[in-house]
Amino acid sequence: MCKSLKLIPLLILFTHCFDTPHTFRVAPLFSDGMVLQRNKIVDIWGTASPNTDIQILSEWGQKLSTKSNDTGAWKAKLTTANAGGPFFLKINTNKESFTIKDILIGEVWLASGQSNMEMSLMGYPPNDTILNYKEEIRRANYPFIRMFNVEKQFSIVPAKDFKGSWLEASPSQIEKFSATAYFFALEIHKKLDIPIGIIHSSWGGSPCESWTSEKKLFELGLYEETLKEMNQNVPNKVVEKWFGQFNSIEIPKQRDSNDRLEKEYEELDFSDNQLNRVDYNDTEWQETILPGRFDSLVSSNFDGVVWLRKDIFIENVDVDYDLHIGYIDDMDKTYINGNFIGGLNGWGYWNKKRKYKISKLFLKEGKNTIAIRAIDTGGPGRFEGVMNISNNIGDTVHIDGAWKYLPVAEIYEDKIYTYSQNYSIKDRPSFLKYNPFMPTVLFNSMIYPLIPYTIRGVIWYQGESNVGRHVEYNKLFPGMIKDWRRRWKNDFPFYFVQIAPYKYTEEIGNHQSQLLRDSQRKSLKLSNTGMVVTLDIGNFSNIHPANKQEVGNRLARLALVNQYDSGLNPLGPILTSSSTEKSYVELEFEHVGSGLILKQSKFNEFEIAGEDMKFFKANTSISKNKLTLNSKNVILPKYVRYAWSDIPQATLFNSDNFPASSFLHKVN
């Protein structure tokens, strides 16, 4: 730790002196253990009785006065010193007095996004864990690294109140740290030898629009109908009257972050056991198409339990079959002719492929009935991937297409309401059910109330939930960045992680994540931004790659280069220009170090195409910062693309061993 830090014991302790109720409050960020941005004029704010005089005294030598307004709100501006601490801050009114203790002054960053940013040092056991997490937790003893976790909440209007507390990077508390943000902070702390504070505000599965303000979404022309519907929702009494006529079950609650609730969901009774029977009369059921969404069959954002049934015809019943259903988000129980053949109940199975064995003893020659009880607990509820049954002698029966469906239970707030057999879903009132993945709701509750706490910049890891909507993301993501900067009145650096390779679909012609990665790459046109490429550290079968150390280190490198004058080279190669000569394309890159490196792989990730955009594998050669491509199949090349699939192999690097991004480029 740097020599300028004060390590003296604190001399002033907080003591309650009054029996009267306390009306004076500071925002939760201003609490014991906090980190303030160094060498800045920082805001501090809170509430008090109207027109109350307030005095603030800092241990680093500042004394100031302010006064609450007619509604009780107050704000003051503190000038911070150079990096140091721990300090205290004493705040007095004529009736109340308290002290904020153990304050550090250093560098403060905001970390936000979805599950890959939220993922703690423990990860999501048992399958999704952080690389060497036990050792990382054991040796996490950095008292000058702090993290404030903003507790999860969502709101359709901007909120002022939120909860959270500052934690210290110690073995007893580090399990609650965002792993990506921790490794980012650790790298900067080691290089600069000063305190680092992270304000962590993330929600797994959240899309970018949830973190964007209503005003900005209207400016961008996005989600206008949804926002209007949110603002004109039906009265609560109408909704409560509908659900009040049905029995309810408490939604299972996790005991800790590792609890998958498998037993709890397995034991839930929806009074629907007869729906898997072959002779059940489903003639009045409605039809839908699978694979596809089933959470929009009742309303635009239905969460709950839906039965789906389909009759299939099998000629050869002398052998066993395997049932393939791709992914079911989130849970399922699957039957053939009334016989249970498999299912996954509990959290964390939304992206796990279903493959269940069908014994020949369960089959009949001719018509057979498949019945699936699917549960969606929130967010998208869908079937995705190839759907068929097959045997080991080459017979395949496709089961995609039309399925009959019946909703049998719906999640509303903290309960599951089980529909009776006599109800009609047509009688259900049309209303919008609020959830944390709707537009604006996380900005309102987990970003807006943090403003204007002084930060150096933002690190962001999000995008998986926007795969398939890359055109929208082209506007949405840069728009969100601009909006945050405008509201903070600060053109702070914004560094983000490009989503890693992951097998989103089994369908070869339906890969889409490369388009989202390219949208992220294009966002670099916005000033004071930087992107971490993860093509070389992803996991094709796990959307939560384990190597968060390298992700955090690469984010830190961007900050060290641009904010802290480290003298390092930036990250991977960035395509800057292109030209053609006859049938050859020449691409020029920046940030190549001493030169580009093309690593050997059985996969050639470079393709070129003519005006018709029919792509062919390209021959490649390298000269320092330039890459030359050609193909005998393309006489007049117009387009070039690299790593253009859900699961590409990283082959293009710079001399510092950082990979280039996926890209689709029209040749100049």
Side-chain angles (χ1 to χ4, degrees), residues 370-396:
I370 301 174
I372 302 172
R373 189 190 74 184
I375 302 177
D376 172 41
T377 59
R382 59 190 167 205
F383 285 61
E384 183 174 331
V386 175
M387 300 178 64
N388 64 43
I389 67 169
S390 61
N391 58 35
N392 59 9
I393 61 174
D395 298 325
T396 299

PDB file of all heavy atoms in Angstrom, residues 370-396:
ATOM      1  N   ILE A 370     -46.939 -37.342 -26.948  1.00  0.00           N
ATOM      2  CA  ILE A 370     -45.922 -36.705 -26.115  1.00  0.00           C
ATOM      3  C   ILE A 370     -46.594 -35.578 -25.339  1.00  0.00           C
ATOM      4  O   ILE A 370     -47.342 -34.772 -25.914  1.00  0.00           O
ATOM      5  CB  ILE A 370     -44.778 -36.120 -26.956  1.00  0.00           C
ATOM      6  CG1 ILE A 370     -44.103 -37.202 -27.785  1.00  0.00           C
ATOM      7  CG2 ILE A 370     -43.747 -35.429 -26.066  1.00  0.00           C
ATOM      8  CD1 ILE A 370     -43.054 -36.667 -28.739  1.00  0.00           C
ATOM      9  N   ALA A 371     -46.352 -35.514 -24.027  1.00  0.00           N
ATOM     10  CA  ALA A 371     -46.887 -34.440 -23.187  1.00  0.00           C
ATOM     11  C   ALA A 371     -45.733 -33.845 -22.374  1.00  0.00           C
ATOM     12  O   ALA A 371     -44.944 -34.585 -21.777  1.00  0.00           O
ATOM     13  CB  ALA A 371     -47.978 -34.966 -22.262  1.00  0.00           C
ATOM     14  N   ILE A 372     -45.645 -32.523 -22.371  1.00  0.00           N
ATOM     15  CA  ILE A 372     -44.567 -31.827 -21.654  1.00  0.00           C
ATOM     16  C   ILE A 372     -45.175 -30.748 -20.766  1.00  0.00           C
ATOM     17  O   ILE A 372     -45.955 -29.914 -21.238  1.00  0.00           O
ATOM     18  CB  ILE A 372     -43.571 -31.172 -22.630  1.00  0.00           C
ATOM     19  CG1 ILE A 372     -42.959 -32.214 -23.560  1.00  0.00           C
ATOM     20  CG2 ILE A 372     -42.471 -30.439 -21.855  1.00  0.00           C
ATOM     21  CD1 ILE A 372     -42.105 -31.608 -24.667  1.00  0.00           C
ATOM     22  N   ARG A 373     -44.819 -30.790 -19.500  1.00  0.00           N
ATOM     23  CA  ARG A 373     -45.175 -29.683 -18.614  1.00  0.00           C
ATOM     24  C   ARG A 373     -43.969 -28.760 -18.518  1.00  0.00           C
ATOM     25  O   ARG A 373     -42.926 -29.137 -17.994  1.00  0.00           O
ATOM     26  CB  ARG A 373     -45.548 -30.185 -17.223  1.00  0.00           C
ATOM     27  CG  ARG A 373     -46.138 -29.077 -16.347  1.00  0.00           C
ATOM     28  CD  ARG A 373     -46.287 -29.510 -14.909  1.00  0.00           C
ATOM     29  NE  ARG A 373     -44.988 -29.567 -14.234  1.00  0.00           N
ATOM     30  CZ  ARG A 373     -44.823 -29.989 -12.985  1.00  0.00           C
ATOM     31  NH1 ARG A 373     -45.848 -30.450 -12.294  1.00  0.00           N
ATOM     32  NH2 ARG A 373     -43.629 -30.004 -12.439  1.00  0.00           N
ATOM     33  N   ALA A 374     -44.098 -27.543 -19.041  1.00  0.00           N
ATOM     34  CA  ALA A 374     -43.003 -26.574 -19.056  1.00  0.00           C
ATOM     35  C   ALA A 374     -43.293 -25.466 -18.057  1.00  0.00           C
ATOM     36  O   ALA A 374     -44.439 -25.008 -17.937  1.00  0.00           O
ATOM     37  CB  ALA A 374     -42.828 -25.995 -20.455  1.00  0.00           C
ATOM     38  N   ILE A 375     -42.261 -25.045 -17.349  1.00  0.00           N
ATOM     39  CA  ILE A 375     -42.386 -23.954 -16.377  1.00  0.00           C
ATOM     40  C   ILE A 375     -41.418 -22.845 -16.763  1.00  0.00           C
ATOM     41  O   ILE A 375     -40.218 -23.093 -16.937  1.00  0.00           O
ATOM     42  CB  ILE A 375     -42.079 -24.421 -14.941  1.00  0.00           C
ATOM     43  CG1 ILE A 375     -43.009 -25.553 -14.527  1.00  0.00           C
ATOM     44  CG2 ILE A 375     -42.201 -23.257 -13.964  1.00  0.00           C
ATOM     45  CD1 ILE A 375     -42.709 -26.102 -13.129  1.00  0.00           C
ATOM     46  N   ASP A 376     -41.947 -21.648 -16.886  1.00  0.00           N
ATOM     47  CA  ASP A 376     -41.116 -20.454 -17.096  1.00  0.00           C
ATOM     48  C   ASP A 376     -41.230 -19.583 -15.850  1.00  0.00           C
ATOM     49  O   ASP A 376     -42.325 -19.151 -15.490  1.00  0.00           O
ATOM     50  CB  ASP A 376     -41.595 -19.675 -18.323  1.00  0.00           C
ATOM     51  CG  ASP A 376     -40.887 -18.343 -18.448  1.00  0.00           C
ATOM     52  OD1 ASP A 376     -39.670 -18.295 -18.216  1.00  0.00           O
ATOM     53  OD2 ASP A 376     -41.570 -17.340 -18.770  1.00  0.00           O
ATOM     54  N   THR A 377     -40.096 -19.339 -15.177  1.00  0.00           N
ATOM     55  CA  THR A 377     -40.133 -18.582 -13.926  1.00  0.00           C
ATOM     56  C   THR A 377     -39.888 -17.097 -14.114  1.00  0.00           C
ATOM     57  O   THR A 377     -40.023 -16.320 -13.173  1.00  0.00           O
ATOM     58  CB  THR A 377     -39.090 -19.128 -12.944  1.00  0.00           C
ATOM     59  OG1 THR A 377     -37.783 -19.029 -13.529  1.00  0.00           O
ATOM     60  CG2 THR A 377     -39.384 -20.570 -12.599  1.00  0.00           C
ATOM     61  N   GLY A 378     -39.546 -16.669 -15.324  1.00  0.00           N
ATOM     62  CA  GLY A 378     -39.295 -15.257 -15.574  1.00  0.00           C
ATOM     63  C   GLY A 378     -38.414 -15.089 -16.792  1.00  0.00           C
ATOM     64  O   GLY A 378     -37.646 -15.978 -17.154  1.00  0.00           O
ATOM     65  N   GLY A 379     -38.518 -13.933 -17.445  1.00  0.00           N
ATOM     66  CA  GLY A 379     -37.765 -13.739 -18.675  1.00  0.00           C
ATOM     67  C   GLY A 379     -38.346 -14.581 -19.790  1.00  0.00           C
ATOM     68  O   GLY A 379     -39.459 -15.103 -19.694  1.00  0.00           O
ATOM     69  N   PRO A 380     -37.591 -14.782 -20.875  1.00  0.00           N
ATOM     70  CA  PRO A 380     -38.102 -15.575 -21.988  1.00  0.00           C
ATOM     71  C   PRO A 380     -38.352 -17.019 -21.584  1.00  0.00           C
ATOM     72  O   PRO A 380     -37.527 -17.637 -20.915  1.00  0.00           O
ATOM     73  CB  PRO A 380     -36.976 -15.487 -23.030  1.00  0.00           C
ATOM     74  CG  PRO A 380     -36.179 -14.299 -22.639  1.00  0.00           C
ATOM     75  CD  PRO A 380     -36.271 -14.206 -21.150  1.00  0.00           C
ATOM     76  N   GLY A 381     -39.514 -17.556 -21.976  1.00  0.00           N
ATOM     77  CA  GLY A 381     -39.803 -18.975 -21.801  1.00  0.00           C
ATOM     78  C   GLY A 381     -39.941 -19.580 -23.183  1.00  0.00           C
ATOM     79  O   GLY A 381     -40.809 -19.168 -23.958  1.00  0.00           O
ATOM     80  N   ARG A 382     -39.063 -20.531 -23.503  1.00  0.00           N
ATOM     81  CA  ARG A 382     -39.061 -20.985 -24.893  1.00  0.00           C
ATOM     82  C   ARG A 382     -38.490 -22.386 -25.042  1.00  0.00           C
ATOM     83  O   ARG A 382     -37.769 -22.879 -24.188  1.00  0.00           O
ATOM     84  CB  ARG A 382     -38.250 -20.027 -25.752  1.00  0.00           C
ATOM     85  CG  ARG A 382     -36.794 -19.886 -25.319  1.00  0.00           C
ATOM     86  CD  ARG A 382     -36.103 -18.743 -26.044  1.00  0.00           C
ATOM     87  NE  ARG A 382     -34.829 -18.402 -25.428  1.00  0.00           N
ATOM     88  CZ  ARG A 382     -34.269 -17.220 -25.512  1.00  0.00           C
ATOM     89  NH1 ARG A 382     -34.856 -16.251 -26.169  1.00  0.00           N
ATOM     90  NH2 ARG A 382     -33.104 -16.980 -24.943  1.00  0.00           N
ATOM     91  N   PHE A 383     -38.848 -23.004 -26.160  1.00  0.00           N
ATOM     92  CA  PHE A 383     -38.199 -24.207 -26.656  1.00  0.00           C
ATOM     93  C   PHE A 383     -37.269 -23.744 -27.780  1.00  0.00           C
ATOM     94  O   PHE A 383     -37.680 -22.945 -28.636  1.00  0.00           O
ATOM     95  CB  PHE A 383     -39.217 -25.187 -27.240  1.00  0.00           C
ATOM     96  CG  PHE A 383     -40.039 -25.915 -26.210  1.00  0.00           C
ATOM     97  CD1 PHE A 383     -40.874 -25.236 -25.327  1.00  0.00           C
ATOM     98  CD2 PHE A 383     -39.999 -27.291 -26.135  1.00  0.00           C
ATOM     99  CE1 PHE A 383     -41.639 -25.902 -24.397  1.00  0.00           C
ATOM    100  CE2 PHE A 383     -40.767 -27.985 -25.206  1.00  0.00           C
ATOM    101  CZ  PHE A 383     -41.596 -27.292 -24.334  1.00  0.00           C
ATOM    102  N   GLU A 384     -36.034 -24.248 -27.771  1.00  0.00           N
ATOM    103  CA  GLU A 384     -35.102 -23.810 -28.804  1.00  0.00           C
ATOM    104  C   GLU A 384     -34.200 -24.966 -29.197  1.00  0.00           C
ATOM    105  O   GLU A 384     -33.666 -25.671 -28.344  1.00  0.00           O
ATOM    106  CB  GLU A 384     -34.251 -22.650 -28.295  1.00  0.00           C
ATOM    107  CG  GLU A 384     -33.306 -22.082 -29.346  1.00  0.00           C
ATOM    108  CD  GLU A 384     -32.592 -20.842 -28.864  1.00  0.00           C
ATOM    109  OE1 GLU A 384     -33.151 -20.116 -28.028  1.00  0.00           O
ATOM    110  OE2 GLU A 384     -31.470 -20.610 -29.326  1.00  0.00           O
ATOM    111  N   GLY A 385     -34.032 -25.178 -30.498  1.00  0.00           N
ATOM    112  CA  GLY A 385     -33.160 -26.239 -30.989  1.00  0.00           C
ATOM    113  C   GLY A 385     -33.929 -27.308 -31.742  1.00  0.00           C
ATOM    114  O   GLY A 385     -35.145 -27.246 -31.918  1.00  0.00           O
ATOM    115  N   VAL A 386     -33.196 -28.307 -32.181  1.00  0.00           N
ATOM    116  CA  VAL A 386     -33.771 -29.410 -32.955  1.00  0.00           C
ATOM    117  C   VAL A 386     -34.680 -30.247 -32.057  1.00  0.00           C
ATOM    118  O   VAL A 386     -34.342 -30.560 -30.914  1.00  0.00           O
ATOM    119  CB  VAL A 386     -32.659 -30.289 -33.542  1.00  0.00           C
ATOM    120  CG1 VAL A 386     -33.240 -31.519 -34.239  1.00  0.00           C
ATOM    121  CG2 VAL A 386     -31.806 -29.476 -34.509  1.00  0.00           C
ATOM    122  N   MET A 387     -35.871 -30.604 -32.572  1.00  0.00           N
ATOM    123  CA  MET A 387     -36.830 -31.408 -31.826  1.00  0.00           C
ATOM    124  C   MET A 387     -37.177 -32.651 -32.651  1.00  0.00           C
ATOM    125  O   MET A 387     -37.778 -32.545 -33.726  1.00  0.00           O
ATOM    126  CB  MET A 387     -38.092 -30.601 -31.520  1.00  0.00           C
ATOM    127  CG  MET A 387     -37.849 -29.349 -30.682  1.00  0.00           C
ATOM    128  SD  MET A 387     -39.364 -28.394 -30.379  1.00  0.00           S
ATOM    129  CE  MET A 387     -40.328 -29.549 -29.403  1.00  0.00           C
ATOM    130  N   ASN A 388     -36.779 -33.815 -32.149  1.00  0.00           N
ATOM    131  CA  ASN A 388     -37.119 -35.054 -32.844  1.00  0.00           C
ATOM    132  C   ASN A 388     -36.944 -36.234 -31.905  1.00  0.00           C
ATOM    133  O   ASN A 388     -36.452 -36.086 -30.780  1.00  0.00           O
ATOM    134  CB  ASN A 388     -36.265 -35.247 -34.106  1.00  0.00           C
ATOM    135  CG  ASN A 388     -34.784 -35.397 -33.802  1.00  0.00           C
ATOM    136  OD1 ASN A 388     -34.380 -36.089 -32.873  1.00  0.00           O
ATOM    137  ND2 ASN A 388     -33.952 -34.734 -34.603  1.00  0.00           N
ATOM    138  N   ILE A 389     -37.375 -37.416 -32.359  1.00  0.00           N
ATOM    139  CA  ILE A 389     -37.012 -38.658 -31.689  1.00  0.00           C
ATOM    140  C   ILE A 389     -36.298 -39.517 -32.724  1.00  0.00           C
ATOM    141  O   ILE A 389     -36.629 -39.488 -33.919  1.00  0.00           O
ATOM    142  CB  ILE A 389     -38.224 -39.397 -31.075  1.00  0.00           C
ATOM    143  CG1 ILE A 389     -39.168 -39.922 -32.161  1.00  0.00           C
ATOM    144  CG2 ILE A 389     -38.975 -38.510 -30.109  1.00  0.00           C
ATOM    145  CD1 ILE A 389     -40.226 -40.865 -31.608  1.00  0.00           C
ATOM    146  N   SER A 390     -35.299 -40.259 -32.277  1.00  0.00           N
ATOM    147  CA  SER A 390     -34.513 -41.063 -33.214  1.00  0.00           C
ATOM    148  C   SER A 390     -34.032 -42.321 -32.525  1.00  0.00           C
ATOM    149  O   SER A 390     -33.959 -42.395 -31.293  1.00  0.00           O
ATOM    150  CB  SER A 390     -33.320 -40.253 -33.735  1.00  0.00           C
ATOM    151  OG  SER A 390     -32.474 -39.876 -32.655  1.00  0.00           O
ATOM    152  N   ASN A 391     -33.708 -43.345 -33.337  1.00  0.00           N
ATOM    153  CA  ASN A 391     -33.159 -44.588 -32.797  1.00  0.00           C
ATOM    154  C   ASN A 391     -31.793 -44.850 -33.413  1.00  0.00           C
ATOM    155  O   ASN A 391     -31.318 -44.094 -34.274  1.00  0.00           O
ATOM    156  CB  ASN A 391     -34.117 -45.757 -33.011  1.00  0.00           C
ATOM    157  CG  ASN A 391     -34.444 -45.975 -34.483  1.00  0.00           C
ATOM    158  OD1 ASN A 391     -33.604 -45.777 -35.359  1.00  0.00           O
ATOM    159  ND2 ASN A 391     -35.685 -46.380 -34.768  1.00  0.00           N
ATOM    160  N   ASN A 392     -31.154 -45.908 -32.984  1.00  0.00           N
ATOM    161  CA  ASN A 392     -29.781 -46.173 -33.433  1.00  0.00           C
ATOM    162  C   ASN A 392     -29.699 -46.891 -34.770  1.00  0.00           C
ATOM    163  O   ASN A 392     -28.598 -47.270 -35.203  1.00  0.00           O
ATOM    164  CB  ASN A 392     -29.019 -46.959 -32.364  1.00  0.00           C
ATOM    165  CG  ASN A 392     -29.679 -48.285 -32.036  1.00  0.00           C
ATOM    166  OD1 ASN A 392     -30.615 -48.708 -32.719  1.00  0.00           O
ATOM    167  ND2 ASN A 392     -29.186 -48.943 -30.984  1.00  0.00           N
ATOM    168  N   ILE A 393     -30.836 -47.090 -35.438  1.00  0.00           N
ATOM    169  CA  ILE A 393     -30.795 -47.712 -36.766  1.00  0.00           C
ATOM    170  C   ILE A 393     -31.177 -46.715 -37.859  1.00  0.00           C
ATOM    171  O   ILE A 393     -31.422 -47.097 -38.994  1.00  0.00           O
ATOM    172  CB  ILE A 393     -31.698 -48.960 -36.824  1.00  0.00           C
ATOM    173  CG1 ILE A 393     -33.157 -48.610 -36.546  1.00  0.00           C
ATOM    174  CG2 ILE A 393     -31.200 -50.030 -35.866  1.00  0.00           C
ATOM    175  CD1 ILE A 393     -34.109 -49.797 -36.745  1.00  0.00           C
ATOM    176  N   GLY A 394     -31.234 -45.426 -37.465  1.00  0.00           N
ATOM    177  CA  GLY A 394     -31.410 -44.384 -38.476  1.00  0.00           C
ATOM    178  C   GLY A 394     -32.798 -43.816 -38.636  1.00  0.00           C
ATOM    179  O   GLY A 394     -33.009 -42.930 -39.477  1.00  0.00           O
ATOM    180  N   ASP A 395     -33.772 -44.289 -37.861  1.00  0.00           N
ATOM    181  CA  ASP A 395     -35.126 -43.745 -37.959  1.00  0.00           C
ATOM    182  C   ASP A 395     -35.212 -42.432 -37.179  1.00  0.00           C
ATOM    183  O   ASP A 395     -34.747 -42.347 -36.036  1.00  0.00           O
ATOM    184  CB  ASP A 395     -36.149 -44.720 -37.389  1.00  0.00           C
ATOM    185  CG  ASP A 395     -36.184 -46.034 -38.154  1.00  0.00           C
ATOM    186  OD1 ASP A 395     -35.997 -45.993 -39.386  1.00  0.00           O
ATOM    187  OD2 ASP A 395     -36.386 -47.083 -37.517  1.00  0.00           O
ATOM    188  N   THR A 396     -35.809 -41.421 -37.789  1.00  0.00           N
ATOM    189  CA  THR A 396     -36.001 -40.127 -37.132  1.00  0.00           C
ATOM    190  C   THR A 396     -37.423 -39.652 -37.367  1.00  0.00           C
ATOM    191  O   THR A 396     -37.923 -39.693 -38.497  1.00  0.00           O
ATOM    192  CB  THR A 396     -35.025 -39.069 -37.671  1.00  0.00           C
ATOM    193  OG1 THR A 396     -33.681 -39.489 -37.407  1.00  0.00           O
ATOM    194  CG2 THR A 396     -35.260 -37.718 -37.005  1.00  0.00           C
TER     195      THR A 396
END
